[in-house]
Amino acid sequence: MKNTTNDRNEEGSIDDGTDSYDQDDASNASNHDDDAPDSSPTPPGHISKTWTALTTLSPCYTGGIVAFSHAPSTTMVTAASVTSLAGDDEQSSSLSSSRNQFILAQRGGDVSIIEASTGLLLRTVRKGKLFQSENYNENDDEEYEDDDDDVMDAEAITAFALSPNNVDLIAVTRSHLVRKYSLAVPVAVAQEEEKSTREKDGKQIQNDNGKKKEINDETLVQSVTSITDPAKVTYSFGKSGHSLPVTKIAFHPSGIFFATGSVDGLVKIWDVRNGYATHALHPTSSGGGGGGNRGRYAVTCLEWRATTTSLILAIGREDGSISIHDLLLNAHDTKTASLPVAVLRGHLSAVTSVVWTSDVGVSGGSTASATSAIRRHGGGYFFSSGRDSVINTWFISEEDVTNNHGPKRKKKKTGGSDDNQPRQVSVIKVSYCRIRTFPVYEQVESMILISRKFRPPSETKRQKAILDKNDVVLATCGTKGVIRLWKATPRDGVGGAQNSISDLSLLASQSEKDSFGEENGGYTSLHLTSLSTTHSSPMLVAVDAEHNMDFMFVQWAEDGNALEFATNRSIVGHNGEILDLSVIPQFCDSENNDKHTVAVATNSSQVRIFALGVATEDDVGEGNQHHEALTPRGLLDGHAAIVLSIDASPCGRYLVTASKDKTMRLWHITSKKCLAVATGHTEAIGSVALSRKIGCYDVGGKAAINGAGAFAVTASKDRTLKVWPLPGSDLLNRWSDGGGEEHPLNARLSARAHEKDINIVTVAQNDSLIATGSQDKQVKLWRSTDLALHGTLKGHKRGVWDCQFAPHDRLVATASGDRTLKLWSTTDCNCIRTFQGHMAGVLRVRFLGSGLQMFSSGSDGLIKLWTIRTNECESTMDGHANKVWALDLSPCGTALFSGGADSKIAVWRDTTKERDDAVREVEEHNIMMEQQLSNHLRRKNYEQALDVALELDKPNQVLRVLIEIVEKDAKNGRCIETLQQHVVKWSNDRLKQMLKYCREWNTRARNSHVAMLVVKAVVTTIPAAKLATSYEGIPEILTGIWPYAERHFDRLDRMVGDSYLLDFTLTSMGSLHGTNNEDYHVWAEQRSKYVLPPKEAEGKVQLGGSLIVGGKRSSGNQSDSSDDDVVTIGDSDTEASTEGN
């Protein structure tokens, strides 16, 4: 739900002041061509026709599980690929795999596939690209919790895990179904679909049969990031067997097994290859719990031992217990195979993370090394963390124990000795002894081990003293919103296991400036991934409570005496509802080579800064496609309540924000510091605007205080309008260079503007007038010098949501909830034009270029482009699924930014020139093809003319050419040989095109014979089974041809029968003249050949000498002509020849 300041009953409207928009900056483009160095301003007088979406920032993560594609060094290849790759191809595949890194994240009941380099949502597992048309509501999950089970989406995914091969995805639905999805198509499968004649550049490898195959050097499989279809379900394991929802899934490093953990406490082990569950691991309790205590044993953590040679699993539960299972230790005994080898009870609350370390700190020299090779649990230490704010260190030990209660030996059939005695079995006893408990004073949500190869190298003596290569380093995050590094130093082990390792000590901590903070909800998970291509070491990715992913790495500080966190980039998972946005003009090349920068206000007290730029080759990999995407560039944090309106200065240096906390803040964009705060309104400020003259921002001193400089205008729910003068840029720059002190602003003018809530305030391009729109259906114009009323614009039937001054003319455009746009004259306050076309309330309006056109957005999610002179809607852009509250143009007029209640931010660009060029090229091509068609027809090259006519999609020309071909073949006795030659060369689309023509021609008797001959050529050339299975859509087309074909054949049968009666009648009439009938025979031969009896020529029936139809006589002598002879029309040549033989 959108946070509002007051409620509305009007269509397309909600609370007052939730959405305010800055004046269009397009007029500044003519004076400042360097706003966008790579874009040229819209030329004067240019009429735009088409705009298309350049990129869209859609919600990709709504909370829950996040998984990252595995590093190339640990990536497991598919079974089909293992046998087909050898030698250097493995290296090239691993290299290319790093160029297609992706992220999987929960998005409601679906799983998003996110491009790691840009943060773009590419597709979802269940819907593919169709996610763009859905209207996702972030409150849906909360509504589901209050509804009955039958209302829930049974196919919603509750947990998932990515296989080490980066292709297979295991997902469990709300209905407890376990499924395996394939995110990509293996190379072997993809190449089988390619034609053998296609030549591709790449490397050749051997497949299983020893045949040569070519693959591209881009990826081991079809890139997960390049496919747009939904993921394919390759196998279904059936019901999970859990009684409550599955919340945890973990893959074994081998990719052969995976574990599922549920709220009911049960953990099941599954075999991917065979498709069934191998183990069921039930919780163990000291007090014995019934069914009502299942919540105590809910699985909160699943972690496999990171080795492919063992099957060791740690299960953390809600009651603070940790069960260690070794599935290979007692595999021979079915009774004990599912029992834990150790149960650790060292936590008082839910266990969130566990990690194993190698056998560091184990004494014994060479003996320790020898024993570590046979250890099943790896020796070393085991760390666990939980929501009880402590980290426990456990010492792992193993010893061989002789079990006298082993299975009995069977008695031998021969011999008298009794061997039915229990035999002694040597078993390994594993023990986990807690040796350290360290308080961290925050609920730990995630903990990971930073191995030696992932740490920054210690080069100096001071650095080696801080971080030794044998130290155990852990990274933690939790509810305080701070990432911290801890280290534990191994010791010589003198004094037992208790002294074999030191307590944890703080190694590095995230700075207060970079940390997320406890007041914002803290961090929810921490990941170690190799998605960085710009930094040599892997990245730490922290996921916070607001669904953002922050990428950072650990490095030495400049002085080299401490470790610090350096933030690389961020991915915004969910923006919430977009309330307002403003494009920040740029007059110099930014350090990030950004094209445009935009400030966005969401359902938050923070303002987010995004930049539109092209990902470099370092980000996406050499040879991959470069995507333009909106990437975060920082936050403006200072308000105590939701920000409702923002506006950027035309000079691009300052930004003003208005909030529900009744204050307006002035920000310095470069330093992201709050320079000044304006207080004085008694209610929430719903709209804010800055003066538009660039030179005014350099005016300072008393002149600025008296109104000669720049100013800000605010409109509040208290129905007042205030003007705040700003100090000059010199003073503002000193404030930005200072210590961050916030200075007060004083209002110079104040007036009660409307009787109802004010929705919008805007300033004219020359700063002479201020316009306000209100729910009282009026727009008022005020003089900026003294806030005197200049005029009132009356005419709307509902509240006014936006108003905008034209860049050059004395005009103002207004948008209202009555679904109309109106254009007014500021001179006499009369309505000049009214634009109708929206099906819901109009929320925003912006002028394009020089003011000849304007954009509007509405509650229906549509954006329309209008031409003022003609009152016509040139284009309608459908990129949002809900109200479009935010709309703004770049100063150069080449990019349009829109944001709405669907949490999407869309960037649009003018494609009129590209469309016109494409239309021009098509016209030129059609002219050339039509000339070729005319030349072929004039030269009677009908075969070539047929191909050209089909390419031009001209049915009448195709029919004309086919008639000529049929008549030519009839004269030469070739029947349909020419048509059959063409059918062989036709593709599937061409064949469908021709059969559709035949379906239309067959509805008219005059063209039916040509249509039937074409159909005959098709069915006699292509086997019927292939037509039915290999050609999509053709059976349906033939079904439409069939009824008319039967009707035409019936008509021909009747016509032939009637011709004999006519012939008999005329013959009888000729006999009345007696024996002298020479004149009759002359007339009959010359004038009416159709009345003569049919003739047979080469097994065919000839009617009148002009039309040859295949047929046969069913009985009798072919030379005789009797009444018993029956002629059948429409039989194929094959049947005729067969019957004749």
Side-chain angles (χ1 to χ4, degrees):
M1 293 295 294
K2 183 174 183 175
N3 294 277
T4 61
T5 55
N6 63 332
D7 297 331
R8 295 296 177 198
N9 296 324
E10 299 189 33
E11 180 181 359
S13 61
I14 55 171
D15 62 298
D16 169 45
T18 54
D19 304 276
S20 172
Y21 299 86
D22 61 302
Q23 179 71 20
D24 183 12
D25 295 324
S27 62
N28 298 324
S30 59
N31 297 327
H32 300 277
D33 295 339
D34 55 347
D35 286 6
D38 55 348
S39 303
S40 58
T42 303
H46 169 74
I47 299 299
S48 181
K49 297 287 186 179
T50 307
W51 286 65
T52 56
L54 177 64
T55 183
T56 301
L57 183 61
S58 302
C60 60
Y61 175 55
T62 58
I65 302 174
V66 178
F68 297 83
S69 58
H70 302 284
S73 59
T74 59
T75 300
M76 304 293 291
V77 295
T78 59
S81 302
V82 168
T83 58
S84 62
L85 294 180
D88 296 337
D89 295 321
E90 295 181 355
Q91 182 179 359
S92 62
S93 299
S94 298
L95 175 62
S96 58
S97 177
S98 64
R99 300 174 183 170
N100 298 280
Q101 301 291 342
F102 59 92
I103 304 171
L104 301 178
Q106 276 190 291
R107 185 176 185 263
D110 208 339
V111 177
S112 301
I113 301 177
I114 308 167
E115 189 178 44
S117 59
T118 60
L120 285 177
L121 174 57
L122 302 176
R123 60 183 172 119
T124 63
V125 170
R126 294 175 58 190
K127 298 183 179 180
K129 267 286 188 182
L130 294 179
F131 75 89
Q132 294 180 344
S133 61
E134 67 174 324
N135 183 10
Y136 176 78
N137 186 359
E138 61 180 340
N139 296 323
D140 286 346
D141 296 335
E142 300 176 2
E143 294 174 1
Y144 284 145
E145 296 176 0
D146 299 333
D147 295 339
D148 296 331
D149 292 340
D150 54 355
V151 182
M152 297 182 180
D153 182 9
E155 297 298 318
I157 296 175
T158 60
F160 68 89
L162 180 64
S163 173
N165 63 7
N166 285 341
V167 175
D168 295 329
L169 177 74
I170 299 297
V172 182
T173 65
R174 184 177 277 120
S175 58
H176 305 290
L177 289 176
V178 183
R179 292 170 177 162
K180 183 175 75 170
Y181 291 87
S182 178
L183 302 181
V185 181
V187 168
V189 177
Q191 289 184 344
E192 289 296 337
E193 300 175 356
E194 296 290 335
K195 295 183 179 179
S196 59
T197 57
R198 173 177 292 185
E199 296 182 357
K200 293 186 286 186
D201 296 331
K203 298 181 180 179
Q204 293 191 347
I205 58 176
Q206 296 284 343
N207 63 0
D208 296 342
N209 300 325
K211 298 180 181 179
K212 293 282 185 178
K213 277 190 177 182
E214 289 191 13
I215 66 170
N216 238 345
D217 190 24
E218 291 186 358
T219 179
L220 178 65
V221 295
Q222 266 193 343
S223 173
V224 176
T225 59
S226 64
I227 301 175
T228 59
D229 297 331
K232 182 180 180 181
V233 178
T234 57
Y235 188 81
S236 179
F237 295 84
K239 290 286 187 177
S240 65
H242 296 279
S243 59
L244 292 177
V246 175
T247 57
K248 299 292 181 180
I249 304 179
F251 252 105
H252 187 262
S254 65
I256 300 175
F257 301 97
F258 68 92
T260 58
S262 171
V263 179
D264 58 8
L266 175 65
V267 175
K268 300 189 74 175
I269 311 300
W270 301 79
D271 189 338
V272 177
R273 297 172 300 180
N274 299 315
Y276 58 81
T278 61
H279 297 75
L281 311 179
H282 295 273
T284 58
S285 60
S286 57
N293 294 327
R294 286 184 300 180
R296 292 184 54 228
Y297 308 113
V299 177
T300 57
C301 173
L302 281 178
E303 188 71 28
W304 290 92
R305 180 89 165 98
T307 174
T308 58
T309 59
S310 63
L311 291 176
I312 302 174
L313 177 67
I315 305 172
R317 290 190 166 87
E318 188 73 29
D319 62 348
S321 65
I322 304 174
S323 301
I324 309 296
H325 293 264
D326 191 340
L327 304 182
L328 296 180
L329 184 61
N330 298 317
H332 62 279
D333 190 354
T334 57
K335 294 183 179 179
T336 61
S338 298
L339 296 179
V341 297
V343 178
L344 316 181
R345 302 186 184 278
H347 290 276
L348 301 177
S349 185
V351 178
T352 55
S353 299
V354 296
V355 294
W356 279 274
T357 67
S358 60
D359 50 348
V360 295
V362 179
S363 61
S366 61
T367 304
S369 301
T371 57
S372 63
I374 61 175
R375 286 178 181 145
R376 304 182 60 85
H377 289 248
Y381 302 94
F382 180 76
F383 294 87
S384 61
S385 64
R387 296 195 177 104
D388 54 358
S389 304
V390 298
I391 298 177
N392 287 331
T393 305
W394 308 78
F395 181 78
I396 306 174
S397 61
E398 298 178 1
E399 59 178 337
D400 293 336
V401 178
T402 301
N403 185 4
N404 294 325
H405 301 283
K408 296 181 179 180
R409 295 174 180 164
K410 295 182 180 179
K411 181 184 293 186
K412 295 182 180 179
K413 295 182 180 180
T414 60
S417 61
D418 188 5
D419 293 336
N420 190 16
Q421 298 294 333
R423 62 177 180 180
Q424 295 181 350
V425 179
S426 177
V427 298
I428 299 176
K429 181 180 179 181
V430 181
S431 63
Y432 285 70
C433 177
R434 184 175 60 175
I435 59 177
R436 300 284 182 185
T437 297
F438 184 78
V440 293
Y441 303 106
E442 74 166 338
Q443 296 182 13
V444 180
E445 295 294 335
S446 183
M447 177 181 65
I448 60 176
L449 174 68
I450 309 296
S451 61
R452 186 181 306 169
K453 62 180 180 179
F454 294 154
R455 308 174 195 168
S458 300
E459 299 176 353
T460 65
K461 186 176 181 180
R462 173 62 177 167
Q463 292 177 353
K464 292 179 181 180
I466 297 175
L467 179 61
D468 188 74
K469 62 180 182 179
N470 293 325
D471 290 341
V472 178
V473 179
L474 301 175
T476 62
C477 68
T479 54
K480 287 189 176 181
V482 180
I483 302 174
R484 291 183 284 185
L485 289 183
W486 309 88
K487 77 167 184 176
T489 303
R491 296 174 178 172
D492 54 8
V494 177
Q498 190 75 21
N499 296 325
S500 62
I501 192 171
S502 66
D503 272 332
L504 292 174
S505 60
L506 184 63
L507 184 62
S509 180
Q510 201 175 15
S511 64
E512 183 179 356
K513 176 183 177 182
D514 297 332
S515 63
F516 186 69
E518 184 177 7
E519 64 279 1
N520 296 323
Y523 290 111
T524 59
S525 63
L526 190 64
H527 307 267
L528 184 64
T529 178
S530 60
L531 296 183
S532 173
T533 56
T534 59
H535 196 267
S536 58
S537 64
M539 306 287 290
L540 280 173
V541 183
V543 182
D544 58 45
E546 292 187 357
H547 311 142
N548 303 317
M549 305 177 195
D550 296 328
F551 292 73
M552 61 193 72
F553 52 87
V554 182
Q555 64 181 11
W556 290 104
E558 294 182 0
D559 56 4
N561 296 328
L563 289 173
E564 64 180 6
F565 292 95
T567 303
N568 179 269
R569 55 192 173 92
S570 299
I571 293 178
V572 178
H574 196 280
N575 280 310
E577 191 168 358
I578 308 299
L579 303 181
D580 197 7
L581 62 82
S582 178
V583 178
I584 301 173
Q586 292 179 330
F587 295 97
C588 60
D589 296 341
S590 65
E591 58 182 6
N592 296 310
N593 295 323
D594 298 328
K595 287 186 175 181
H596 305 286
T597 305
V598 58
V600 180
T602 63
N603 275 353
S604 172
S605 60
Q606 299 173 334
V607 175
R608 293 175 176 173
I609 307 296
F610 291 92
L612 177 65
V614 180
T616 62
E617 289 190 0
D618 290 336
D619 294 329
V620 299
E622 182 180 358
N624 282 10
Q625 184 179 1
H626 292 191
H627 292 138
E628 296 196 30
L630 286 170
T631 56
R633 288 291 184 260
L635 295 172
L636 304 180
D637 191 2
H639 283 285
I642 294 176
V643 177
L644 301 177
S645 178
I646 56 179
D647 190 17
S649 64
C651 62
R653 292 176 289 179
Y654 309 108
L655 186 78
V656 289
T657 57
S659 170
K660 281 187 174 182
D661 60 5
K662 310 173 187 178
T663 65
M664 179 200 73
R665 289 179 176 266
L666 176 66
W667 304 84
H668 189 260
I669 296 175
T670 304
S671 62
K672 298 180 177 58
K673 292 182 178 180
C674 179
L675 304 180
V677 180
T679 57
H681 285 286
T682 59
E683 297 289 345
I685 302 176
S687 182
V688 63
L690 283 170
S691 56
R692 310 314 304 168
K693 284 186 177 182
I694 298 179
C696 293
Y697 288 86
D698 296 328
V699 178
K702 293 184 178 180
I705 298 176
N706 295 330
F711 60 88
V713 186
T714 57
S716 172
K717 187 182 177 182
D718 58 13
R719 302 170 189 176
T720 61
L721 182 68
K722 293 182 181 293
V723 178
W724 311 81
L726 303 180
S729 58
D730 293 338
L731 182 58
L732 292 177
N733 291 336
R734 289 198 299 269
W735 289 355
S736 64
D737 296 336
E741 180 183 358
E742 297 176 353
H743 302 270
L745 291 179
N746 298 319
R748 186 176 67 90
L749 299 172
S750 180
R752 183 177 178 85
H754 292 269
E755 296 302 322
K756 291 187 177 181
D757 298 337
I758 305 174
N759 292 331
I760 187 66
V761 61
T762 185
V763 182
Q765 297 294 329
N766 57 3
D767 292 349
S768 61
L769 293 178
I770 298 173
T772 57
S774 170
Q775 287 298 128
D776 59 7
K777 310 173 188 177
Q778 297 179 0
V779 176
K780 292 185 178 181
L781 303 179
W782 311 82
R783 289 199 298 266
S784 61
T785 55
D786 54 2
L787 281 188
L789 184 63
H790 175 77
T792 302
L793 312 180
K794 298 180 180 179
H796 283 292
K797 298 179 180 179
R798 290 194 175 183
V800 178
W801 282 104
D802 195 15
C803 55
Q804 193 75 21
F805 285 97
H808 301 300
D809 298 329
R810 296 180 179 179
L811 302 173
V812 62
T814 58
S816 171
D818 60 6
R819 309 178 186 180
T820 64
L821 293 164
K822 289 183 180 293
L823 194 65
W824 310 78
S825 171
T826 59
T827 305
D828 53 10
C829 299
N830 290 330
C831 180
I832 300 175
R833 294 183 185 275
T834 299
F835 301 86
Q836 296 179 342
H838 280 279
M839 302 303 295
V842 186
L843 302 177
R844 289 295 172 261
V845 60
R846 288 293 180 272
F847 280 97
L848 173 63
S850 59
L852 299 178
Q853 293 179 290
M854 59 183 180
F855 284 101
S856 63
S857 64
S859 300
D860 51 7
L862 301 178
I863 301 173
K864 291 182 178 292
L865 174 62
W866 306 86
T867 298
I868 296 176
R869 182 174 58 86
T870 60
N871 265 45
E872 293 182 357
C873 178
E874 300 289 351
S875 178
T876 299
M877 296 168 281
D878 186 4
H880 293 273
N882 211 325
K883 299 179 178 68
V884 182
W885 289 108
L887 194 69
D888 199 11
L889 274 159
S890 63
C892 56
T894 58
L896 175 70
F897 294 79
S898 62
D902 56 359
S903 304
K904 292 181 181 178
I905 302 176
V907 184
W908 309 82
R909 67 183 184 94
D910 189 357
T911 56
T912 303
K913 186 177 183 300
E914 289 86 343
R915 191 200 67 169
D916 293 343
D917 292 342
V919 171
R920 189 181 304 107
E921 290 179 0
V922 171
E923 292 178 351
E924 292 176 356
H925 177 73
N926 289 340
I927 292 174
M928 294 295 296
M929 298 298 292
E930 288 177 358
Q931 184 61 44
Q932 292 182 13
L933 177 61
S934 178
N935 295 339
H936 289 317
L937 291 176
R938 185 170 61 254
R939 297 169 185 171
K940 297 184 178 181
N941 297 329
Y942 298 120
E943 289 77 6
Q944 294 83 352
L946 178 61
D947 295 335
V948 176
L950 286 172
E951 185 176 352
L952 290 174
D953 195 16
K954 292 183 176 292
N956 293 333
Q957 293 288 354
V958 174
L959 179 61
R960 175 185 170 187
V961 174
L962 287 175
I963 292 175
E964 297 292 342
I965 292 176
V966 170
E967 291 181 352
K968 180 180 178 181
D969 287 350
K971 292 179 181 178
N972 298 331
R974 299 177 60 186
C975 193
I976 58 173
E977 293 181 4
T978 303
L979 293 179
Q980 289 176 335
Q981 294 175 1
H982 281 280
V983 171
V984 173
K985 298 184 295 182
W986 286 342
S987 62
N988 186 18
D989 295 336
R990 187 72 74 201
L991 188 61
K992 289 174 62 177
Q993 178 187 3
M994 179 58 74
L995 289 179
K996 287 180 181 179
Y997 290 166
C998 294
R999 184 175 59 185
E1000 298 299 324
W1001 297 337
N1002 199 39
T1003 58
R1004 301 185 64 181
R1006 58 183 295 181
N1007 301 327
S1008 62
H1009 67 288
V1010 176
M1012 289 295 97
L1013 289 176
V1014 173
V1015 173
K1016 181 179 179 181
V1018 172
V1019 298
T1020 56
T1021 303
I1022 304 175
K1026 188 176 181 181
L1027 280 175
T1029 58
S1030 302
Y1031 293 87
E1032 183 180 359
I1034 288 183
E1036 290 78 7
I1037 299 175
L1038 293 176
T1039 303
I1041 296 176
W1042 179 258
Y1044 281 96
E1046 287 186 332
R1047 184 182 304 176
H1048 294 317
F1049 281 125
D1050 292 341
R1051 178 177 54 82
L1052 289 175
D1053 287 339
R1054 292 193 304 268
M1055 183 186 69
V1056 172
D1058 294 342
S1059 67
Y1060 285 106
L1061 178 60
L1062 179 61
D1063 182 62
F1064 174 77
T1065 303
L1066 295 178
T1067 304
S1068 300
M1069 292 176 62
S1071 64
L1072 297 177
H1073 296 281
T1075 58
N1076 187 10
N1077 54 3
E1078 295 180 358
D1079 295 337
Y1080 166 74
H1081 288 295
V1082 172
W1083 171 82
E1085 291 178 358
Q1086 296 179 355
R1087 301 291 301 275
S1088 180
K1089 296 183 180 181
Y1090 288 99
V1091 300
L1092 297 179
K1095 298 180 181 180
E1096 284 193 18
E1098 299 179 358
K1100 296 181 173 59
V1101 178
Q1102 182 175 354
L1103 300 179
S1106 61
L1107 179 63
I1108 299 177
V1109 182
K1112 69 179 187 296
R1113 293 184 183 275
S1114 61
S1115 63
N1117 190 359
Q1118 295 182 5
S1119 60
D1120 298 336
S1121 178
S1122 63
D1123 296 337
D1124 295 334
D1125 294 341
V1126 178
V1127 178
T1128 59
I1129 307 298
D1131 293 339
S1132 65
D1133 297 338
T1134 304
E1135 290 180 343
S1137 61
T1138 303
E1139 191 70 22
N1141 294 333

